Amino acid sequence: MIKVVDLKKNYGRVEALKSISFEVEKGSVFGFIGRNGAGKTTTMNILTGLIKFNDGKIIIKGKDFQENKQEVLKSIGYLPETPTFYDYMNAYEYLRFIGEIISYEGKNVSKLLEMVKLAKHKKKRIGAYSRGMKQRLALAAAFMGNPEILFLDEPASALDPEGRMEMLELIEGLKNEKITIFLSTHILNDAERVCNKICIIDEGKILLTENLSQLYKSYIQPIFDVEFEEDPTDKIDLLKKPEWVENIKENGRKISIYVKDLDYAKKEILKELSKLNTSVVSYQIRKSTLEDIFMRMVKQK
Amino acid sequence: MKSFKAYFKKEITEAIRTYKYLVLFFGFIFWPAMLGPMMLKLLPLILKNYMPAETMQLFSDFTRDYAFQSFLSDSFQFMLAFMAFVLMGLLANEVRLKRLVFPYSRGADPEGVVLAKYIHYAITVSLFILIAFFIDYLYVDRFFTGGILSLKILFESSLLYILYFCTLLSILLYLSSLFRRGLAAGFTVLILGFSLSIFNQFDTIKAYFPNYLILKAADIGHVFDSSLIPAIIISFCLIILFVFLSVLRMKKIDVA
Ligand SMILES: Nc1ncnc2c1ncn2[C@@H]1O[C@H](COP(=O)(O)OP(=O)(O)O)[C@@H](O)[C@H]1O
Ligand SMILES: [Mg+2]
C-alpha cells in the first residue's frame, strides 16, 4: 500500500530523516514508534504531501507519490499532531467545508459528527472546543469519505486518560473498516493494543520493522518463571541437573529458570518439575513487552 | 473548481465573522466618502470665528469638483492603508497558522485556493470602491455647487481606482505568500503604493506605472483618454503575473 525507499529530509543542517525505508501492507495497522524528535511527524507530513523531502522514493497504491500527488491524496486522510481549524466556524461548517473539497455528501456530515460524539456541540465555535473535542473533530475530518489510508499522528498522546480511551476505541472501530492505518505514537501500550505491525524509528533512522506477533517471538527471553506453593529451596539442585538449564535464580517461592534452548526446554520442563514432587502454582515463559523491546533497541545503538 | 467553491464560501464566512467587511467599510466608505465631505463642509463653519476674513475667502472656492478631488486623495490613502492591513494575512496566516494542513492533505488544489481568495477580495474591493464613489457623489452634490462633475466622470474615475486596487491586491496576495508574517507584506504594499506615485512627477514615463491610473482619476473632464492604455495593459499584466506567481508559490510551499 505504502512503500518508502531511502527517504531523506533535512531541516537546514538538521538531518531529520536519514534515509529511511519501510513498507505498509494493505489493511494493516502500522505502528510508527519513536521518542519525541525521532522523525515521526516529519515522515507523516511528507507522506501526506504537506512538506517537501530531499531524496528518496515514495510509492502509494502503486503510484509514484510525487508525480500523482493530487490524485493519491484523494484516498488519504490525515489526523495531524496538533490539528488546526478555522476557529470561527463550527464543527458542522468545518466538515461541510472539507466535504466540499472532497465531494462528500453534506447530508452524511451529521452521521460523522455522531460517530465522533460531537453532534451535541456542532453549533459551537471550534475556537471554544476542548483539546479532546478538537481531536475528535480532526478524526472526523480525516476519516471523512472513508479514505483507504489513514495517517494518525499521536492521536491520543495529548488527551486525558478518558479521552485517550475514547480515541483508542474509535481507532479500534476503524480497524474493522478494512482501512490501512499508519499510527505514530510514543505510548507503547497504545501501539500494543491496536497495531499489528511495528516500526521503531530513532534519531531519523529505522531500527526495526516487524509484525507484532513475530516481534514477541523473536524477542522472547529464554526464561521460565515458576511459582511453588512452598519454598522449594531444598529441591532446586535437582532442577540444575539437566544440561539445557543454564542458571536458576531463587526468590522465595518463585524461581526463574534460564535455559539454553527454549524450544527444547518447553518440551522438557514439565517433566523435570514433576520429578520434584511438589505443588506448582504457576508456570510461564517470561514475555517481553513492547516497552522492553523498545528500550533494548534504542539502548543497543 | 471544488476547492475554489469551498474557499470562496469560506472567505465570505471569514470576512463576516472576523469583521473584515466591517473594517473595510470604515476604511473604504465611511471615512473617505461619508465623513470626508462632511468635514469639508463643516470646516469653514467651525473655523469662521477664529480665522481672518481673507482666509475664509479660500473656502468659498470649494466646488463639487474640488470636493470630489479631495475625496479622491483621501480615499487613495485610506483604501491603500486599510486594504494592506486588513488583507495582509491573506495567505501568510493560512500557512503560518497551519490552516491548510487539512485541506491540502485532503487534496485541495492550490489554484482553487489562491483564485478564490483573489477573486473574492477583488470583488469586495471593487464593490466597496463603487459604493464609496456613489455615496461621495451624493454628499458632494448636496453640499457643494459648481464644477462639471457628473455621474459619468465619477464612474470612469471609479473604474480606474478599481483597476489600481485590484493590481495592488494581486501584489499583496503574492507578498503574503512569500513572507511568513503578513505584516511584512502589508508594509511593503503600503510603501509600494505611496512610493510609486513618485513616478507621476516624470512626464515621460509616468504613463507606464499603475499609479498613473490614480493621477488620471482626478483629471476631471478627461478621465478616460488614450494616454491610459499603457497603464491599463500593464496593470492587467501585473495582476495575471502576481496571481500566477502566488499559485506557483502555494503549490511549492511547505504547509506543515
Ligand atoms: N520545521 C522544522 N524546522 C527545523 N527542525 C525541525 C522542524 N520540524 C522538525 N524538526 C526537527 O526534526 C526532528 C524530527 O522531528 P519530528 O518529526 O517532529 O519528531 P517526532 O514527531 O518523532 O517527535 C527533530 O529533531 C526536530 O527538532
Ligand atoms: Mg511528532
Side-chain angles (χ1 to χ4, degrees), chain A residues 40-41 81 153-154:
Chain A
K40 302 183 293 294
T41 301
E81 197 168 9
D153 193 2
E154 312 235 9

Side-chain angles (χ1 to χ4, degrees), chain A residues 222 224 236-249 255-261 264-265 268-269 272:
Chain A
F224 292 87
I236 293 278
D237 285 346
L238 260 176
L239 273 179
K240 285 184 180 161
K241 268 194 190 152
E243 95 296 346
W244 48 265
V245 174
E246 188 166 285
N247 191 14
I248 293 181
K249 281 190 183 158
I255 63 167
S256 302
I257 307 170
Y258 290 68
V259 301
K260 288 172 189 152
D261 181 342
Y264 186 75
E268 298 296 317
I269 192 138
E272 294 299 325

